[in-house]
Amino acid sequence: MCDAHSARAAVCVGIVCAGIVSWGWASPPVVTERALSVGLDGIHATVYQGPDVEFMGAGGAAGDFDNDGDQDLFVVGGSAGVDRLYINDGAGHFSEQGVAWGINRTHQGTGAAVGDYDNDGDLDLYVTSLGRPGVRESGHNVLYRNNGNGTFSDVTAVAGVSIADAFQGDTFSSAFGDYDLDGDLDLAVAGWLGGSRLFRNNGDGTFSNVTSTALDTNLSANRGFAPRFVDMDGDRYPELLWVADFYTSHYFVNNGDGTFSSHTPGNGTGLDSNGMGNTFGDYNGDGIFDWYVSSRINHAQTNGSGNMLYVATATPHVFVEDSVASGCNFGYWGWGVISIDINHDGFLDIYETNGFDGSFTDDPAILYLNTGNGVFTDHAPLCGMDVRSAGRGLLNADFDRDGDQDIVMFNARQQMVYYRNEIAGLPDANAITLEFDTSAVSGLAPNGFGTLVELTSDSGIQKRYMDGGSNYLSQSELSVHFGIGTDQSADISILWANGDRTDLVGVQPGRYTIRSLGCPADLSGDGMLNFFDVSAFLTLYQQQHPQGDVNGDGLFNFFDVSAFLTGYQGGCP
């Protein structure tokens, strides 16, 4: 069945991709387009119809805003539209509640980022903007504080994160991350006309602008599009990957003292002529994170750098650009880009939006399927994912909680696209998804920001990093996701941002919330040992949750009960 509306690909989605050669456990990607059928009916609209600056906008963010265990969706509406908040009913169907939550604003919106900036257990929302409808002006970014009762409050002025200075409204993407490892979320905001900012969280609900003191580079000439905080060298302090237009991208190394140093271009990065999208991952399986930047190239491949794949070397922060040999350089006019194991074969794939006015109007989206060694081939036409639209933002999340990652594409002046993942050949359950509860340990940022995860199964080793970065105007769900193919289980090592380590043995496919524990028996995470911890253990044990395997032998039996009771009686440090 194919639900096709205007701006959709002519190829019917929901079909098995014929003629694909399977690599290892690879199953052909299969999706169905479900936006309207699940209630995602918002259309991005702008006052001006030409190729202006707002035409580069259209984004959103996934997040569990009502704390009910499923992923909701915030969508930027544009200067002739309205921002929307789609609340998930738990089965992947949505109801629009922007008015009730207080976010139904009409403005020249661009993108959004999600993070619990005040550590109160609820996801907050930062929305970037170019100004009021029809008026380019600064000061229209908004930080929405989640009140925990189904409403948001505008706390921008109090928090100090409104960019209201001499620069015109020019902000695009933003990203939360704990760059100083003090346990609260800082904020990076990318501006295309010099309005880029780095805000440090003061821990009291306010932020300080540290752009000029924390960065060794003057960003007044930076054409910023998408920042994200990622620990690229394993020292727990995240680097700041700053994608920007006109050869102004920067790879900022975290010095561990609250400052960053740009290593561009000496470390082999910054070669992207028109950097827009921002993603990362260990694409070639060598245990080191690589960096992928979407960019522009014309059809004759004579103008523009094309997409750049910065492959990490054994020397920290040194890269080799390898996009041509890896098969992912040519991508038309790239915007949003995500790293996702779409077919659960254990290898990270890349999906990218494309399109612009003029000769780029009909350029298709691209699905770079990883062959298993960091070499990619475009399979979008075979899977019906080569939608020809004004694609901008892009995100992935498991909206229907079936174990695989779905995709939302935001289109400028068009209906959004929602691809529900319908993996063929392998059960949807052949994946492990981890969310994190880090509230039990002081000094850890909320929702596991900054957590490094290594998974080992019969087929090999995979690495993921929990960041809340922008791929371009958009943010995916706050989780790490591993496809494990036909493997029955996996061992998982979690390195928390404070240096603690948690090892889980024999984890079965499924979705789990992993709690950081300051005290091993404090399974309720309230800092005390009482009946609630006993109840939590019994629940975890009965569900065969990885943290119910208290003695870590991969089994659930009497020895786990004994280990829990021993820890409980021993008390907390």
Side-chain angles (χ1 to χ4, degrees), residues 241-252 262-275 291 293 295 305-306 308-310 319-321:
L241 310 184
W242 200 283
V243 169
D245 211 349
F246 302 122
Y247 293 103
T248 62
S249 293
H250 281 281
Y251 181 98
F252 287 107
S262 176
H263 283 214
T264 304
N267 69 337
T269 64
L271 305 178
D272 39 284
S273 61
N274 304 93
W291 185 24
V293 178
S295 188
S305 68
M308 295 284 99
L309 176 60
Y310 301 114
F319 298 82
V320 174
E321 203 292 304

PDB file of all heavy atoms in Angstrom, residues 241-252 262-275 291 293 295 305-306 308-310 319-321:
ATOM      1  N   LEU A 241      31.555  20.023  17.101  1.00  0.00           N
ATOM      2  CA  LEU A 241      31.602  19.905  15.646  1.00  0.00           C
ATOM      3  C   LEU A 241      30.664  20.941  15.062  1.00  0.00           C
ATOM      4  O   LEU A 241      29.438  20.833  15.215  1.00  0.00           O
ATOM      5  CB  LEU A 241      31.199  18.492  15.218  1.00  0.00           C
ATOM      6  CG  LEU A 241      31.912  17.330  15.926  1.00  0.00           C
ATOM      7  CD1 LEU A 241      31.481  16.002  15.340  1.00  0.00           C
ATOM      8  CD2 LEU A 241      33.426  17.487  15.842  1.00  0.00           C
ATOM      9  N   TRP A 242      31.220  21.935  14.394  1.00  0.00           N
ATOM     10  CA  TRP A 242      30.474  23.115  13.982  1.00  0.00           C
ATOM     11  C   TRP A 242      30.438  23.183  12.448  1.00  0.00           C
ATOM     12  O   TRP A 242      31.389  23.589  11.802  1.00  0.00           O
ATOM     13  CB  TRP A 242      31.142  24.370  14.540  1.00  0.00           C
ATOM     14  CG  TRP A 242      30.245  25.560  14.597  1.00  0.00           C
ATOM     15  CD1 TRP A 242      29.872  26.349  13.561  1.00  0.00           C
ATOM     16  CD2 TRP A 242      29.614  26.091  15.745  1.00  0.00           C
ATOM     17  NE1 TRP A 242      29.031  27.349  13.986  1.00  0.00           N
ATOM     18  CE2 TRP A 242      28.853  27.207  15.338  1.00  0.00           C
ATOM     19  CE3 TRP A 242      29.612  25.731  17.104  1.00  0.00           C
ATOM     20  CZ2 TRP A 242      28.103  27.975  16.241  1.00  0.00           C
ATOM     21  CZ3 TRP A 242      28.866  26.489  17.987  1.00  0.00           C
ATOM     22  CH2 TRP A 242      28.131  27.591  17.559  1.00  0.00           C
ATOM     23  N   VAL A 243      29.317  22.754  11.879  1.00  0.00           N
ATOM     24  CA  VAL A 243      29.177  22.746  10.423  1.00  0.00           C
ATOM     25  C   VAL A 243      28.673  24.098   9.948  1.00  0.00           C
ATOM     26  O   VAL A 243      27.719  24.659  10.508  1.00  0.00           O
ATOM     27  CB  VAL A 243      28.215  21.623   9.984  1.00  0.00           C
ATOM     28  CG1 VAL A 243      27.842  21.766   8.522  1.00  0.00           C
ATOM     29  CG2 VAL A 243      28.863  20.266  10.238  1.00  0.00           C
ATOM     30  N   ALA A 244      29.303  24.626   8.890  1.00  0.00           N
ATOM     31  CA  ALA A 244      28.974  25.969   8.420  1.00  0.00           C
ATOM     32  C   ALA A 244      29.183  26.093   6.913  1.00  0.00           C
ATOM     33  O   ALA A 244      29.879  25.286   6.288  1.00  0.00           O
ATOM     34  CB  ALA A 244      29.825  27.009   9.157  1.00  0.00           C
ATOM     35  N   ASP A 245      28.582  27.115   6.364  1.00  0.00           N
ATOM     36  CA  ASP A 245      28.614  27.397   4.927  1.00  0.00           C
ATOM     37  C   ASP A 245      29.933  28.058   4.527  1.00  0.00           C
ATOM     38  O   ASP A 245      30.670  28.592   5.356  1.00  0.00           O
ATOM     39  CB  ASP A 245      27.442  28.326   4.602  1.00  0.00           C
ATOM     40  CG  ASP A 245      26.899  28.128   3.198  1.00  0.00           C
ATOM     41  OD1 ASP A 245      27.534  27.430   2.393  1.00  0.00           O
ATOM     42  OD2 ASP A 245      25.825  28.691   2.912  1.00  0.00           O
ATOM     43  N   PHE A 246      30.241  28.029   3.237  1.00  0.00           N
ATOM     44  CA  PHE A 246      31.341  28.764   2.617  1.00  0.00           C
ATOM     45  C   PHE A 246      32.696  28.497   3.287  1.00  0.00           C
ATOM     46  O   PHE A 246      33.432  29.419   3.628  1.00  0.00           O
ATOM     47  CB  PHE A 246      31.041  30.271   2.610  1.00  0.00           C
ATOM     48  CG  PHE A 246      29.770  30.628   1.905  1.00  0.00           C
ATOM     49  CD1 PHE A 246      28.767  31.319   2.568  1.00  0.00           C
ATOM     50  CD2 PHE A 246      29.553  30.255   0.585  1.00  0.00           C
ATOM     51  CE1 PHE A 246      27.581  31.640   1.923  1.00  0.00           C
ATOM     52  CE2 PHE A 246      28.365  30.568  -0.059  1.00  0.00           C
ATOM     53  CZ  PHE A 246      27.379  31.264   0.610  1.00  0.00           C
ATOM     54  N   TYR A 247      33.018  27.224   3.463  1.00  0.00           N
ATOM     55  CA  TYR A 247      34.308  26.803   4.032  1.00  0.00           C
ATOM     56  C   TYR A 247      34.561  27.382   5.425  1.00  0.00           C
ATOM     57  O   TYR A 247      35.707  27.673   5.780  1.00  0.00           O
ATOM     58  CB  TYR A 247      35.458  27.204   3.102  1.00  0.00           C
ATOM     59  CG  TYR A 247      35.478  26.463   1.787  1.00  0.00           C
ATOM     60  CD1 TYR A 247      35.032  27.090   0.616  1.00  0.00           C
ATOM     61  CD2 TYR A 247      35.947  25.158   1.682  1.00  0.00           C
ATOM     62  CE1 TYR A 247      35.052  26.429  -0.611  1.00  0.00           C
ATOM     63  CE2 TYR A 247      35.962  24.491   0.465  1.00  0.00           C
ATOM     64  CZ  TYR A 247      35.515  25.127  -0.673  1.00  0.00           C
ATOM     65  OH  TYR A 247      35.536  24.469  -1.888  1.00  0.00           O
ATOM     66  N   THR A 248      33.520  27.554   6.238  1.00  0.00           N
ATOM     67  CA  THR A 248      33.728  28.094   7.591  1.00  0.00           C
ATOM     68  C   THR A 248      33.393  27.068   8.675  1.00  0.00           C
ATOM     69  O   THR A 248      33.200  27.437   9.833  1.00  0.00           O
ATOM     70  CB  THR A 248      32.910  29.375   7.814  1.00  0.00           C
ATOM     71  OG1 THR A 248      31.512  29.089   7.687  1.00  0.00           O
ATOM     72  CG2 THR A 248      33.313  30.456   6.830  1.00  0.00           C
ATOM     73  N   SER A 249      33.317  25.788   8.318  1.00  0.00           N
ATOM     74  CA  SER A 249      33.123  24.762   9.339  1.00  0.00           C
ATOM     75  C   SER A 249      34.339  24.678  10.249  1.00  0.00           C
ATOM     76  O   SER A 249      35.465  24.966   9.826  1.00  0.00           O
ATOM     77  CB  SER A 249      32.883  23.393   8.691  1.00  0.00           C
ATOM     78  OG  SER A 249      31.656  23.343   8.002  1.00  0.00           O
ATOM     79  N   HIS A 250      34.109  24.261  11.508  1.00  0.00           N
ATOM     80  CA  HIS A 250      35.211  24.139  12.464  1.00  0.00           C
ATOM     81  C   HIS A 250      35.098  22.844  13.259  1.00  0.00           C
ATOM     82  O   HIS A 250      33.994  22.430  13.647  1.00  0.00           O
ATOM     83  CB  HIS A 250      35.219  25.315  13.454  1.00  0.00           C
ATOM     84  CG  HIS A 250      35.796  26.566  12.894  1.00  0.00           C
ATOM     85  ND1 HIS A 250      37.152  26.789  12.785  1.00  0.00           N
ATOM     86  CD2 HIS A 250      35.191  27.684  12.398  1.00  0.00           C
ATOM     87  CE1 HIS A 250      37.359  27.988  12.250  1.00  0.00           C
ATOM     88  NE2 HIS A 250      36.185  28.551  12.009  1.00  0.00           N
ATOM     89  N   TYR A 251      36.251  22.233  13.489  1.00  0.00           N
ATOM     90  CA  TYR A 251      36.364  21.097  14.408  1.00  0.00           C
ATOM     91  C   TYR A 251      37.038  21.637  15.665  1.00  0.00           C
ATOM     92  O   TYR A 251      38.250  21.843  15.700  1.00  0.00           O
ATOM     93  CB  TYR A 251      37.197  19.991  13.766  1.00  0.00           C
ATOM     94  CG  TYR A 251      37.381  18.742  14.598  1.00  0.00           C
ATOM     95  CD1 TYR A 251      36.570  17.624  14.390  1.00  0.00           C
ATOM     96  CD2 TYR A 251      38.369  18.665  15.574  1.00  0.00           C
ATOM     97  CE1 TYR A 251      36.748  16.465  15.138  1.00  0.00           C
ATOM     98  CE2 TYR A 251      38.551  17.517  16.331  1.00  0.00           C
ATOM     99  CZ  TYR A 251      37.731  16.427  16.108  1.00  0.00           C
ATOM    100  OH  TYR A 251      37.917  15.285  16.855  1.00  0.00           O
ATOM    101  N   PHE A 252      36.230  21.888  16.709  1.00  0.00           N
ATOM    102  CA  PHE A 252      36.748  22.454  17.952  1.00  0.00           C
ATOM    103  C   PHE A 252      37.075  21.337  18.932  1.00  0.00           C
ATOM    104  O   PHE A 252      36.193  20.554  19.332  1.00  0.00           O
ATOM    105  CB  PHE A 252      35.730  23.392  18.591  1.00  0.00           C
ATOM    106  CG  PHE A 252      35.553  24.717  17.894  1.00  0.00           C
ATOM    107  CD1 PHE A 252      34.407  24.972  17.163  1.00  0.00           C
ATOM    108  CD2 PHE A 252      36.525  25.702  17.982  1.00  0.00           C
ATOM    109  CE1 PHE A 252      34.232  26.197  16.538  1.00  0.00           C
ATOM    110  CE2 PHE A 252      36.360  26.928  17.357  1.00  0.00           C
ATOM    111  CZ  PHE A 252      35.215  27.182  16.627  1.00  0.00           C
ATOM    112  N   SER A 262      40.188  25.356  17.764  1.00  0.00           N
ATOM    113  CA  SER A 262      39.869  24.885  16.418  1.00  0.00           C
ATOM    114  C   SER A 262      41.090  24.226  15.799  1.00  0.00           C
ATOM    115  O   SER A 262      42.175  24.809  15.774  1.00  0.00           O
ATOM    116  CB  SER A 262      39.418  26.051  15.535  1.00  0.00           C
ATOM    117  OG  SER A 262      39.209  25.600  14.206  1.00  0.00           O
ATOM    118  N   HIS A 263      40.917  22.998  15.291  1.00  0.00           N
ATOM    119  CA  HIS A 263      41.989  22.282  14.616  1.00  0.00           C
ATOM    120  C   HIS A 263      41.813  22.296  13.104  1.00  0.00           C
ATOM    121  O   HIS A 263      42.547  21.609  12.386  1.00  0.00           O
ATOM    122  CB  HIS A 263      42.072  20.845  15.127  1.00  0.00           C
ATOM    123  CG  HIS A 263      42.731  20.718  16.462  1.00  0.00           C
ATOM    124  ND1 HIS A 263      43.504  19.625  16.818  1.00  0.00           N
ATOM    125  CD2 HIS A 263      42.760  21.545  17.531  1.00  0.00           C
ATOM    126  CE1 HIS A 263      43.959  19.782  18.050  1.00  0.00           C
ATOM    127  NE2 HIS A 263      43.515  20.931  18.512  1.00  0.00           N
ATOM    128  N   THR A 264      40.849  23.083  12.645  1.00  0.00           N
ATOM    129  CA  THR A 264      40.571  23.186  11.211  1.00  0.00           C
ATOM    130  C   THR A 264      41.427  24.291  10.592  1.00  0.00           C
ATOM    131  O   THR A 264      41.553  25.365  11.194  1.00  0.00           O
ATOM    132  CB  THR A 264      39.079  23.522  10.997  1.00  0.00           C
ATOM    133  OG1 THR A 264      38.294  22.515  11.647  1.00  0.00           O
ATOM    134  CG2 THR A 264      38.725  23.571   9.536  1.00  0.00           C
ATOM    135  N   PRO A 265      42.032  24.100   9.429  1.00  0.00           N
ATOM    136  CA  PRO A 265      41.953  22.924   8.551  1.00  0.00           C
ATOM    137  C   PRO A 265      43.108  21.953   8.712  1.00  0.00           C
ATOM    138  O   PRO A 265      43.216  20.997   7.941  1.00  0.00           O
ATOM    139  CB  PRO A 265      41.988  23.565   7.172  1.00  0.00           C
ATOM    140  CG  PRO A 265      42.924  24.718   7.344  1.00  0.00           C
ATOM    141  CD  PRO A 265      42.685  25.241   8.743  1.00  0.00           C
ATOM    142  N   GLY A 266      43.996  22.204   9.685  1.00  0.00           N
ATOM    143  CA  GLY A 266      45.208  21.400   9.790  1.00  0.00           C
ATOM    144  C   GLY A 266      44.979  19.929  10.068  1.00  0.00           C
ATOM    145  O   GLY A 266      45.866  19.111   9.810  1.00  0.00           O
ATOM    146  N   ASN A 267      43.795  19.577  10.606  1.00  0.00           N
ATOM    147  CA  ASN A 267      43.561  18.169  10.935  1.00  0.00           C
ATOM    148  C   ASN A 267      42.771  17.438   9.859  1.00  0.00           C
ATOM    149  O   ASN A 267      42.282  16.333  10.073  1.00  0.00           O
ATOM    150  CB  ASN A 267      42.828  18.056  12.279  1.00  0.00           C
ATOM    151  CG  ASN A 267      41.387  18.558  12.212  1.00  0.00           C
ATOM    152  OD1 ASN A 267      41.046  19.364  11.344  1.00  0.00           O
ATOM    153  ND2 ASN A 267      40.566  18.114  13.130  1.00  0.00           N
ATOM    154  N   GLY A 268      42.665  18.054   8.673  1.00  0.00           N
ATOM    155  CA  GLY A 268      41.996  17.394   7.564  1.00  0.00           C
ATOM    156  C   GLY A 268      40.509  17.635   7.474  1.00  0.00           C
ATOM    157  O   GLY A 268      39.823  16.995   6.667  1.00  0.00           O
ATOM    158  N   THR A 269      39.975  18.567   8.272  1.00  0.00           N
ATOM    159  CA  THR A 269      38.550  18.885   8.225  1.00  0.00           C
ATOM    160  C   THR A 269      38.355  20.293   7.663  1.00  0.00           C
ATOM    161  O   THR A 269      39.313  21.006   7.380  1.00  0.00           O
ATOM    162  CB  THR A 269      37.917  18.800   9.619  1.00  0.00           C
ATOM    163  OG1 THR A 269      38.511  19.800  10.475  1.00  0.00           O
ATOM    164  CG2 THR A 269      38.132  17.430  10.229  1.00  0.00           C
ATOM    165  N   GLY A 270      37.097  20.695   7.524  1.00  0.00           N
ATOM    166  CA  GLY A 270      36.792  22.026   7.001  1.00  0.00           C
ATOM    167  C   GLY A 270      36.889  22.123   5.497  1.00  0.00           C
ATOM    168  O   GLY A 270      36.947  23.225   4.943  1.00  0.00           O
ATOM    169  N   LEU A 271      36.882  20.993   4.795  1.00  0.00           N
ATOM    170  CA  LEU A 271      37.001  20.981   3.343  1.00  0.00           C
ATOM    171  C   LEU A 271      35.652  21.091   2.644  1.00  0.00           C
ATOM    172  O   LEU A 271      35.599  21.185   1.417  1.00  0.00           O
ATOM    173  CB  LEU A 271      37.704  19.694   2.894  1.00  0.00           C
ATOM    174  CG  LEU A 271      39.070  19.418   3.534  1.00  0.00           C
ATOM    175  CD1 LEU A 271      39.620  18.086   3.043  1.00  0.00           C
ATOM    176  CD2 LEU A 271      40.043  20.548   3.255  1.00  0.00           C
ATOM    177  N   ASP A 272      34.559  21.067   3.412  1.00  0.00           N
ATOM    178  CA  ASP A 272      33.227  21.156   2.838  1.00  0.00           C
ATOM    179  C   ASP A 272      32.952  22.585   2.387  1.00  0.00           C
ATOM    180  O   ASP A 272      33.050  23.524   3.161  1.00  0.00           O
ATOM    181  CB  ASP A 272      32.175  20.706   3.851  1.00  0.00           C
ATOM    182  CG  ASP A 272      32.480  21.161   5.271  1.00  0.00           C
ATOM    183  OD1 ASP A 272      33.370  20.559   5.896  1.00  0.00           O
ATOM    184  OD2 ASP A 272      31.835  22.108   5.759  1.00  0.00           O
ATOM    185  N   SER A 273      32.591  22.750   1.118  1.00  0.00           N
ATOM    186  CA  SER A 273      32.400  24.098   0.568  1.00  0.00           C
ATOM    187  C   SER A 273      31.154  24.766   1.113  1.00  0.00           C
ATOM    188  O   SER A 273      31.134  25.987   1.301  1.00  0.00           O
ATOM    189  CB  SER A 273      32.302  24.025  -0.964  1.00  0.00           C
ATOM    190  OG  SER A 273      31.192  23.242  -1.366  1.00  0.00           O
ATOM    191  N   ASN A 274      30.117  23.986   1.385  1.00  0.00           N
ATOM    192  CA  ASN A 274      28.848  24.544   1.858  1.00  0.00           C
ATOM    193  C   ASN A 274      28.257  23.614   2.905  1.00  0.00           C
ATOM    194  O   ASN A 274      27.179  23.045   2.718  1.00  0.00           O
ATOM    195  CB  ASN A 274      27.865  24.717   0.693  1.00  0.00           C
ATOM    196  CG  ASN A 274      28.429  25.570  -0.416  1.00  0.00           C
ATOM    197  OD1 ASN A 274      29.015  25.051  -1.377  1.00  0.00           O
ATOM    198  ND2 ASN A 274      28.294  26.877  -0.309  1.00  0.00           N
ATOM    199  N   GLY A 275      28.963  23.463   4.017  1.00  0.00           N
ATOM    200  CA  GLY A 275      28.540  22.538   5.054  1.00  0.00           C
ATOM    201  C   GLY A 275      27.164  22.883   5.605  1.00  0.00           C
ATOM    202  O   GLY A 275      26.911  24.022   6.000  1.00  0.00           O
ATOM    203  N   TRP A 291      33.322  11.650  10.935  1.00  0.00           N
ATOM    204  CA  TRP A 291      32.458  12.832  10.860  1.00  0.00           C
ATOM    205  C   TRP A 291      31.990  13.009   9.419  1.00  0.00           C
ATOM    206  O   TRP A 291      32.806  13.002   8.491  1.00  0.00           O
ATOM    207  CB  TRP A 291      33.239  14.060  11.333  1.00  0.00           C
ATOM    208  CG  TRP A 291      32.454  15.335  11.417  1.00  0.00           C
ATOM    209  CD1 TRP A 291      31.112  15.479  11.565  1.00  0.00           C
ATOM    210  CD2 TRP A 291      32.994  16.664  11.393  1.00  0.00           C
ATOM    211  NE1 TRP A 291      30.767  16.816  11.629  1.00  0.00           N
ATOM    212  CE2 TRP A 291      31.896  17.556  11.522  1.00  0.00           C
ATOM    213  CE3 TRP A 291      34.288  17.182  11.264  1.00  0.00           C
ATOM    214  CZ2 TRP A 291      32.070  18.942  11.527  1.00  0.00           C
ATOM    215  CZ3 TRP A 291      34.458  18.562  11.277  1.00  0.00           C
ATOM    216  CH2 TRP A 291      33.360  19.437  11.412  1.00  0.00           C
ATOM    217  N   VAL A 293      29.680  15.405   6.782  1.00  0.00           N
ATOM    218  CA  VAL A 293      29.094  16.730   6.568  1.00  0.00           C
ATOM    219  C   VAL A 293      28.448  16.764   5.190  1.00  0.00           C
ATOM    220  O   VAL A 293      29.113  16.519   4.176  1.00  0.00           O
ATOM    221  CB  VAL A 293      30.164  17.837   6.672  1.00  0.00           C
ATOM    222  CG1 VAL A 293      29.549  19.201   6.392  1.00  0.00           C
ATOM    223  CG2 VAL A 293      30.826  17.817   8.051  1.00  0.00           C
ATOM    224  N   SER A 295      26.944  18.675   1.962  1.00  0.00           N
ATOM    225  CA  SER A 295      27.301  19.928   1.316  1.00  0.00           C
ATOM    226  C   SER A 295      26.659  19.964  -0.069  1.00  0.00           C
ATOM    227  O   SER A 295      25.714  19.219  -0.349  1.00  0.00           O
ATOM    228  CB  SER A 295      28.828  20.067   1.245  1.00  0.00           C
ATOM    229  OG  SER A 295      29.217  21.341   0.783  1.00  0.00           O
ATOM    230  N   SER A 305      32.102  21.206  -3.211  1.00  0.00           N
ATOM    231  CA  SER A 305      32.896  20.067  -2.737  1.00  0.00           C
ATOM    232  C   SER A 305      32.131  18.760  -2.737  1.00  0.00           C
ATOM    233  O   SER A 305      32.725  17.679  -2.782  1.00  0.00           O
ATOM    234  CB  SER A 305      33.382  20.346  -1.310  1.00  0.00           C
ATOM    235  OG  SER A 305      32.284  20.350  -0.405  1.00  0.00           O
ATOM    236  N   GLY A 306      30.792  18.837  -2.689  1.00  0.00           N
ATOM    237  CA  GLY A 306      30.021  17.643  -2.411  1.00  0.00           C
ATOM    238  C   GLY A 306      30.120  17.295  -0.937  1.00  0.00           C
ATOM    239  O   GLY A 306      30.748  18.000  -0.137  1.00  0.00           O
ATOM    240  N   MET A 308      31.258  15.576   2.502  1.00  0.00           N
ATOM    241  CA  MET A 308      32.583  15.225   2.991  1.00  0.00           C
ATOM    242  C   MET A 308      32.476  14.160   4.079  1.00  0.00           C
ATOM    243  O   MET A 308      31.685  14.294   5.021  1.00  0.00           O
ATOM    244  CB  MET A 308      33.278  16.457   3.573  1.00  0.00           C
ATOM    245  CG  MET A 308      33.595  17.559   2.567  1.00  0.00           C
ATOM    246  SD  MET A 308      35.030  17.215   1.490  1.00  0.00           S
ATOM    247  CE  MET A 308      34.186  16.632   0.007  1.00  0.00           C
ATOM    248  N   LEU A 309      33.275  13.097   3.937  1.00  0.00           N
ATOM    249  CA  LEU A 309      33.386  12.069   4.961  1.00  0.00           C
ATOM    250  C   LEU A 309      34.788  12.131   5.542  1.00  0.00           C
ATOM    251  O   LEU A 309      35.765  11.750   4.888  1.00  0.00           O
ATOM    252  CB  LEU A 309      33.123  10.679   4.371  1.00  0.00           C
ATOM    253  CG  LEU A 309      33.302   9.498   5.341  1.00  0.00           C
ATOM    254  CD1 LEU A 309      32.357   9.619   6.523  1.00  0.00           C
ATOM    255  CD2 LEU A 309      33.111   8.169   4.621  1.00  0.00           C
ATOM    256  N   TYR A 310      34.881  12.647   6.769  1.00  0.00           N
ATOM    257  CA  TYR A 310      36.169  12.766   7.445  1.00  0.00           C
ATOM    258  C   TYR A 310      36.387  11.491   8.265  1.00  0.00           C
ATOM    259  O   TYR A 310      35.789  11.296   9.328  1.00  0.00           O
ATOM    260  CB  TYR A 310      36.187  14.003   8.340  1.00  0.00           C
ATOM    261  CG  TYR A 310      35.930  15.300   7.582  1.00  0.00           C
ATOM    262  CD1 TYR A 310      34.774  16.057   7.817  1.00  0.00           C
ATOM    263  CD2 TYR A 310      36.824  15.752   6.628  1.00  0.00           C
ATOM    264  CE1 TYR A 310      34.542  17.239   7.128  1.00  0.00           C
ATOM    265  CE2 TYR A 310      36.597  16.932   5.933  1.00  0.00           C
ATOM    266  CZ  TYR A 310      35.450  17.671   6.188  1.00  0.00           C
ATOM    267  OH  TYR A 310      35.219  18.834   5.494  1.00  0.00           O
ATOM    268  N   PHE A 319      42.112  13.487  10.584  1.00  0.00           N
ATOM    269  CA  PHE A 319      41.182  12.812   9.693  1.00  0.00           C
ATOM    270  C   PHE A 319      41.706  12.774   8.259  1.00  0.00           C
ATOM    271  O   PHE A 319      42.532  13.600   7.867  1.00  0.00           O
ATOM    272  CB  PHE A 319      39.819  13.517   9.705  1.00  0.00           C
ATOM    273  CG  PHE A 319      39.154  13.523  11.055  1.00  0.00           C
ATOM    274  CD1 PHE A 319      39.506  14.466  12.010  1.00  0.00           C
ATOM    275  CD2 PHE A 319      38.190  12.581  11.370  1.00  0.00           C
ATOM    276  CE1 PHE A 319      38.903  14.480  13.273  1.00  0.00           C
ATOM    277  CE2 PHE A 319      37.585  12.577  12.616  1.00  0.00           C
ATOM    278  CZ  PHE A 319      37.946  13.530  13.566  1.00  0.00           C
ATOM    279  N   VAL A 320      41.165  11.826   7.496  1.00  0.00           N
ATOM    280  CA  VAL A 320      41.413  11.747   6.068  1.00  0.00           C
ATOM    281  C   VAL A 320      40.063  11.837   5.366  1.00  0.00           C
ATOM    282  O   VAL A 320      39.154  11.058   5.665  1.00  0.00           O
ATOM    283  CB  VAL A 320      42.122  10.435   5.691  1.00  0.00           C
ATOM    284  CG1 VAL A 320      42.238  10.314   4.176  1.00  0.00           C
ATOM    285  CG2 VAL A 320      43.499  10.356   6.339  1.00  0.00           C
ATOM    286  N   GLU A 321      39.932  12.788   4.448  1.00  0.00           N
ATOM    287  CA  GLU A 321      38.664  12.939   3.729  1.00  0.00           C
ATOM    288  C   GLU A 321      38.576  11.846   2.670  1.00  0.00           C
ATOM    289  O   GLU A 321      39.436  11.705   1.827  1.00  0.00           O
ATOM    290  CB  GLU A 321      38.594  14.327   3.080  1.00  0.00           C
ATOM    291  CG  GLU A 321      37.164  14.785   2.801  1.00  0.00           C
ATOM    292  CD  GLU A 321      36.483  13.974   1.715  1.00  0.00           C
ATOM    293  OE1 GLU A 321      37.032  13.906   0.595  1.00  0.00           O
ATOM    294  OE2 GLU A 321      35.401  13.413   1.989  1.00  0.00           O
TER     295      GLU A 321
END
